Amino acid sequence: MAEDCAKIIRHGEAFIAAGFKVIKLPTEREDARHDCHLEVSEEAGSTIYIYTKPGTTAASETASVSVAPKYVYTPLNHLKDGTVVNLYGVVKFFKPPYISKGTDYCSIVTLVDQSNVKLTCSLFSGNLDFLPKIYKVGDIVRFHRIKIREYNGQMQGITSGGFASLTFDGTVGAPVVPRTSSRVYTFMDEEQKTIEELRVWAASNISISGPATKLSGVQPMLFFDLTCQLVGKAKVDGSSFLLKVWDGTECPYPTWKVPVEAKDLEGEKVLLHQLRNLAVDILVYDNHVQLAESLKIGSFLRIYSIHAKEASADNEDVSHMEFHLHGGTCYGRGIGVLPESNPDVKELKEFLESVTLTDSQNMESCSMDVDSTFGNVTDLELHLQRCQQLSVTVLTDHQDLSNTELKTITNSSAPQQYRIRAKLRTYKPQKLHQSVKLHCSKCNSLQEVPDRDDFDFILHGSAGTAPNPELHNTSWYESVTWTTQEQKQREIAIHFVKHDEMLQHPEDTLIMVEGGTLKEIWKLTKRFKCVIPVRSTEDDLELLDLSAPFLLRGNVKYYGCKQCSTPKPMKNLSSIAAEQRPSWEPTEIAQVLGIELLQYVFIMKFTLVDETGSLNAYLFDYEKFFQIPASEILTSNFLQQKMQMTMNALCPPGRKLGDLPWLECFIKSYNVRDAMKNQVCYQIFDTTVAEDVV
């Protein structure tokens, strides 16, 4: 847009900027710019109107030219870390929006395009309507202003300021009509060609599931998606909620009726009575309850990954079918509300209108042969059985090893390496944040991660020592000091490390802080690349007690081993500052300061079982197994939730042993000796969680 304006506008010409957002600029004091700037807004339809005087016309004649934004779309194989881009992609996997641990809604979407590169996007918004309206695998999305970041060598997308989306049906030949809550959006003619090309490519390259399961096709132990209409709802207890739905077909098995008081059941009583043999009860749990409570009677839904479960009451001889939407979002579990313009809804409405409701009242008298029905194994059941044989983990090496039974392993001497196929019966700790420890690779010690209160206590203690003015403004750093206005005044000093005798941009700068509180330190980490808490001595600045982090970078606190570290003067940092392009990597900083860097690790105990026996294997992992950095887990709600979902996939709560998924792992045995006995232990290695598990 700026380039197009530059080609047209001339010095001295008037122009109108319409539909822009006015944004407060936080750095006006530093860079002497105006304290506001204008930001392009797709929702408002930003346009610049240039009031020109063409040279070929009389001086009194004028003309106006308008310039609107033009968007460039980046293929998925050209994405780069740290950029904000626009892109198109085909939905390969998605999780319907759900309430995150905060107040925002979250949706996870995995995209592909003709480059066959995959991009997983984590989308957050306080307004549910602002998230993309994805209804099925194969839908096509357009994202504007999505931020790209790199994790474990793979690009990921996350919402950034001004994020906007359009969603299109991915079916070849379907109308190109965008789904969006925005009243104003741009859509150029050439984009229709992009969508058509993606549709054709996806038709032969994306595995799109067939028609959604009908209630008439449900079988025991099936997980299925259902397109249906909501006819009743009721609160059951604090962690579960009842939805009564129908799709015009009848479940071939007796269905469970959730006991609720009539006064608590919302819905049209006459219709509920007419549908008593066609409507089924779905019990939804945990994170789905809030969304379920907000649903309107009569709305059309697509409920993803419903569990059809055969059960019987203690006092009944005949079994019945139960329907559950379990907590969590594994396998895309969730609830989506479909608009009446959706093609699947139009088809369902036509079918529902054709159903004669009076006929359904007499269906209780119909007999059916339950045994013969259960004896028919459908293709869906066979598919489910095959899926249960798949492993939820991936082996990253040693493919030449064959599987060994656990009984053979426990009867063999150590040390040896094995490949196994087993199920995860249980794991410790159950509170996953407790699995994160600090490890010293030099002395092999493990310690707990100090909590914020420890750090706060150390900072308060160091604040009692006033900064030494003789140590300010040296050849390699510049100092600023001020006194707080609180009742018990504190003197704070910040030392900005220079490069080539010049201060750098904040995002490239390491600072050393004296006298700061925990809250002040965290604020500084949001602005500067690295923060080191220090205190003054007579001769130099020095690190605080190594019980506190010696370095903060982003959300990560870096600790040193007390036993193996020999702290050196802070002036040693000047050697890094003198480099051509200082990177301020934690390992390099630790080395010049004489610190033995502690590494964040996951320490867990897995109880693994197969047909022959069981054993306990330890997981000692920095980030390979979960594909999540242990250093970032404690400060990221998103990563904590991802780890919990991963463990729920590896060891689903409430499942019988036979229903648990298989894990393929490498384990190695080793001897642990003490004064009393020799013990053989086992450790998981060269194994990672499969990408599509969560």
Side-chain angles (χ1 to χ4, degrees):
M1 187 178 191
E3 289 173 351
D4 287 347
C5 285
K7 295 174 185 175
I8 300 171
I9 197 167
R10 298 169 186 168
H11 184 73
E13 288 182 334
F15 67 91
I16 299 171
F20 285 75
K21 290 181 180 178
V22 181
I23 305 296
K24 188 75 173 175
L25 198 64
T27 58
E28 79 274 5
R29 291 186 179 181
E30 289 88 346
D31 52 27
R33 296 166 65 186
H34 195 280
D35 62 352
C36 292
H37 67 180
L38 301 181
E39 186 176 88
V40 171
S41 167
E42 183 171 9
E43 293 78 11
S46 300
T47 308
I48 290 180
Y49 299 93
I50 303 168
Y51 199 57
T52 64
K53 291 184 177 181
T56 57
T57 61
S60 60
E61 296 182 23
T62 60
S64 88
V65 179
S66 65
V67 180
K70 291 182 181 178
Y71 295 93
V72 177
Y73 296 95
T74 306
L76 300 187
N77 60 337
H78 289 168
L79 299 176
K80 295 181 180 179
D81 182 31
T83 57
V84 176
V85 300
N86 309 313
L87 56 84
Y88 269 95
V90 181
V91 176
K92 184 177 181 182
F93 172 81
F94 73 101
K95 294 182 180 181
Y98 58 93
I99 296 290
S100 64
K101 287 191 176 181
T103 57
D104 281 0
Y105 289 92
C106 175
S107 181
I108 308 296
V109 185
T110 299
L111 305 179
V112 291
D113 65 5
Q114 294 95 326
S115 67
N116 278 318
V117 170
K118 185 167 67 172
L119 176 72
T120 298
C121 302
S122 303
L123 311 176
F124 296 89
S125 176
N127 188 333
L128 180 62
D129 289 334
F130 288 169
L131 292 175
K133 301 180 185 306
I134 298 168
Y135 301 141
K136 61 186 177 182
V137 170
D139 278 351
I140 294 171
V141 297
R142 186 191 81 176
F143 290 166
H144 277 184
R145 294 173 294 279
I146 186 162
K147 186 173 184 178
I148 304 301
R149 61 183 184 185
E150 185 174 353
Y151 265 116
N152 298 327
Q154 291 188 331
M155 297 301 173
Q156 295 187 1
I158 189 168
T159 42
S160 65
F163 172 80
S165 68
L166 298 180
T167 310
F168 303 87
D169 191 326
T171 307
V172 175
V176 181
V177 179
R179 306 172 202 149
T180 178
S181 59
S182 299
R183 289 174 294 177
V184 180
Y185 57 86
T186 60
F187 186 73
M188 313 302 289
D189 291 341
E190 56 265 29
E191 293 184 70
Q192 181 151 343
K193 182 182 177 184
T194 300
I195 292 168
E196 297 291 0
E197 289 173 349
L198 280 171
R199 284 175 169 178
V200 172
W201 176 83
S204 55
N205 289 275
I206 300 294
S207 177
I208 300 174
S209 58
T213 303
K214 299 282 189 182
L215 289 174
S216 57
V218 167
Q219 297 291 327
M221 293 305 298
L222 180 68
F223 286 85
F224 66 101
D225 300 343
L226 180 67
T227 303
C228 55
Q229 185 181 32
L230 179 67
V231 293
K233 64 178 186 177
K235 184 176 182 179
V236 179
D237 55 39
S239 62
S240 60
F241 196 84
L242 167 65
L243 299 179
K244 283 184 175 287
V245 303
W246 76 309
D247 70 354
T249 69
E250 184 189 7
C251 178
Y253 307 101
T255 59
W256 180 41
K257 299 302 179 185
V258 178
V260 293
E261 296 285 342
K263 62 180 177 61
D264 296 330
L265 182 61
E266 292 183 47
E268 189 180 332
K269 299 296 185 279
V270 174
L271 181 61
L272 286 169
H273 178 72
Q274 290 177 317
L275 296 179
R276 65 186 183 276
N277 298 307
L278 288 179
V280 299
D281 290 4
I282 300 176
L283 206 55
V284 306
Y285 299 91
D286 302 335
N287 57 299
H288 307 296
V289 169
Q290 184 174 345
L291 178 58
E293 290 175 338
S294 69
L295 297 174
K296 295 181 179 179
I297 300 296
S299 59
F300 291 91
L301 311 175
R302 182 165 290 146
I303 307 178
Y304 302 91
S305 197
I306 301 170
H307 183 194
K309 177 183 176 184
E310 183 187 2
S312 60
D314 295 337
N315 58 350
E316 293 180 357
D317 295 327
V318 180
S319 60
H320 59 259
M321 188 77 78
E322 297 179 359
F323 298 100
H324 301 269
L325 181 65
H326 299 297
T329 59
C330 293
Y331 310 107
R333 282 188 213 119
I335 303 171
V337 180
L338 303 179
E340 297 203 12
S341 60
N342 182 278
D344 293 336
V345 171
K346 291 180 179 179
E347 182 181 337
L348 177 60
K349 283 183 70 177
E350 288 180 9
F351 180 69
L352 296 183
E353 289 167 0
S354 70
V355 176
T356 305
L357 297 183
T358 52
D359 292 343
S360 69
Q361 297 180 28
N362 301 317
M363 289 182 181
E364 286 177 332
S365 61
C366 297
S367 62
M368 66 176 185
D369 186 346
V370 176
D371 292 334
S372 63
T373 306
F374 272 56
N376 293 327
V377 180
T378 66
D379 291 339
L380 286 169
E381 285 178 297
L382 290 171
H383 174 70
L384 179 64
Q385 292 168 10
R386 286 196 297 270
C387 287
Q388 287 177 336
Q389 302 303 313
L390 298 176
S391 174
V392 292
T393 51
V394 175
L395 307 176
T396 60
D397 205 343
H398 318 290
Q399 301 295 334
D400 55 316
L401 289 178
S402 57
N403 287 339
T404 304
E405 294 178 337
L406 297 187
K407 183 178 180 181
T408 302
I409 295 173
T410 55
N411 290 333
S412 302
S413 59
Q416 294 192 59
Q417 295 183 352
Y418 305 96
R419 176 177 178 169
I420 67 167
R421 190 168 186 268
K423 297 187 176 188
L424 178 58
R425 184 167 64 192
T426 186
Y427 60 89
K428 291 182 179 180
Q430 289 288 311
K431 294 181 179 178
L432 295 177
H433 68 273
Q434 296 176 351
S435 67
V436 182
K437 311 292 182 187
L438 292 170
H439 174 245
C440 177
S441 57
K442 188 172 183 179
C443 66
N444 209 30
S445 63
L446 283 171
Q447 68 178 62
E448 298 292 335
V449 180
D451 62 29
R452 56 177 290 144
D453 291 339
D454 297 333
F455 186 21
D456 198 26
F457 179 78
I458 293 171
L459 288 173
H460 272 97
S462 66
T465 303
N468 183 354
E470 294 183 4
L471 302 177
H472 295 177
N473 298 311
T474 68
S475 60
W476 61 282
Y477 63 78
E478 195 168 299
S479 307
V480 175
T481 63
W482 71 94
T483 302
T484 63
Q485 299 302 310
E486 57 200 32
Q487 186 174 5
K488 190 177 180 180
Q489 293 184 337
R490 284 179 297 117
E491 191 172 354
I492 302 173
I494 298 182
H495 310 286
F496 302 85
V497 176
K498 298 185 289 187
H499 175 61
D500 286 340
E501 299 185 358
M502 295 180 63
L503 294 176
Q504 304 300 296
H505 292 294
E507 61 269 19
D508 298 323
T509 299
L510 179 144
I511 64 172
M512 299 174 289
V513 182
E514 294 185 74
T517 63
L518 182 60
K519 185 177 180 180
E520 291 162 348
I521 295 286
W522 276 121
K523 280 187 176 180
L524 291 167
T525 63
K526 307 299 182 188
R527 186 78 189 277
F528 296 93
K529 184 163 190 173
C530 294
V531 177
I532 299 181
V534 295
R535 61 187 167 208
S536 292
T537 65
E538 290 185 4
D539 305 317
D540 198 358
L541 301 174
E542 68 175 13
L543 295 171
L544 307 182
D545 187 309
L546 287 183
S547 298
F550 74 92
L551 171 69
L552 295 93
R553 177 168 166 161
N555 288 328
V556 181
K557 294 180 282 190
Y558 293 90
Y559 294 87
C561 178
K562 286 186 177 183
Q563 183 174 329
C564 302
S565 300
T566 308
K568 298 178 181 178
M570 299 305 296
K571 61 185 177 185
N572 286 19
L573 287 174
S574 61
S575 62
I576 302 179
E579 294 175 0
Q580 187 172 359
R581 299 187 68 178
S583 62
W584 298 119
E585 287 299 320
T587 50
E588 191 177 7
I589 293 171
Q591 185 177 4
V592 300
L593 292 180
I595 303 298
E596 187 62 38
L597 184 63
L598 293 176
Q599 293 180 291
Y600 288 84
V601 293
F602 295 111
I603 306 289
M604 302 183 72
K605 183 170 77 170
F606 287 3
T607 299
L608 301 168
V609 297
D610 67 6
E611 298 86 350
T612 66
S614 66
L615 60 78
N616 291 324
Y618 290 93
L619 178 69
F620 182 95
D621 178 68
Y622 297 109
E623 61 178 72
K624 186 174 181 180
F625 183 81
F626 292 108
Q627 302 186 59
I628 296 173
S631 59
E632 298 182 22
I633 193 79
L634 295 178
T635 56
S636 170
N637 287 336
F638 169 70
L639 293 180
Q640 288 175 24
Q641 191 173 35
K642 182 177 179 181
M643 184 177 176
Q644 183 65 65
M645 291 189 296
T646 299
M647 292 309 303
N648 287 346
L650 301 183
C651 185
R655 292 267 191 100
K656 296 178 181 178
L657 183 60
D659 298 333
L660 297 177
W662 289 101
L663 281 68
E664 280 196 289
C665 303
F666 289 123
I667 63 172
K668 55 187 176 184
S669 60
Y670 57 97
N671 292 301
V672 177
R673 295 182 177 86
D674 59 25
M676 301 295 293
K677 61 179 181 178
N678 176 64
Q679 183 182 1
V680 177
C681 295
Y682 305 93
Q683 181 181 328
I684 297 171
F685 73 103
D686 285 347
T687 306
T688 188
V689 175
E691 286 186 8
D692 295 330
V693 163
V694 181

